[in-house]
Amino acid sequence: MAGPGRDVWVAAAQSPDFVELRRRQLRFLLPATAGFMAWFFCFIALTAWAPELLGAKVLGDLTLVLVLAVGQFVSTFAITLAYVRYAGRRLDPLADRVRERLEGGRP
């Protein structure tokens, strides 16, 4: 893509609002991803190296592996909900400003 259209996008990507938008996004996504991946790989490691621990009964016939597996789903939904709330408060207003500038034809 060449021409003035490309220049608008390059300038927009280098604008302070866009740089701040990316910084805010990464401020949430990096720790959330790292935390979830650590939790996920810990669960996988336990299934490989501690199956007897995961077979322990927690409540009646409910085993620890089932509790942790359901916890994976619950944490996925919790992270999603937290991101939607964070984006609504911290990202969307800034993204709207960036979009308005682009639609108005100025970086």
Side-chain angles (χ1 to χ4, degrees), residues 15-88:
S15 73
D17 280 344
F18 188 80
V19 170
E20 176 65 16
L21 178 65
R22 293 290 295 153
R23 188 181 67 74
R24 288 181 187 183
Q25 185 180 40
L26 290 175
R27 187 186 301 156
F28 182 92
L29 293 178
L30 292 178
T33 301
F36 181 81
M37 294 305 288
W39 155 233
F40 176 74
F41 285 118
C42 180
F43 176 65
I44 297 300
L46 284 172
T47 62
W49 293 301
E52 66 285 344
L53 173 66
L54 293 179
K57 303 239 187 231
V58 176
L59 183 66
D61 286 334
L62 187 65
T63 60
L64 183 58
V65 71
L66 186 56
V67 171
L68 293 177
V70 169
Q72 288 287 316
F73 288 101
V74 170
S75 63
T76 300
F77 289 115
I79 290 170
T80 302
L81 178 63
Y83 181 74
V84 167
R85 290 180 52 123
Y86 179 80

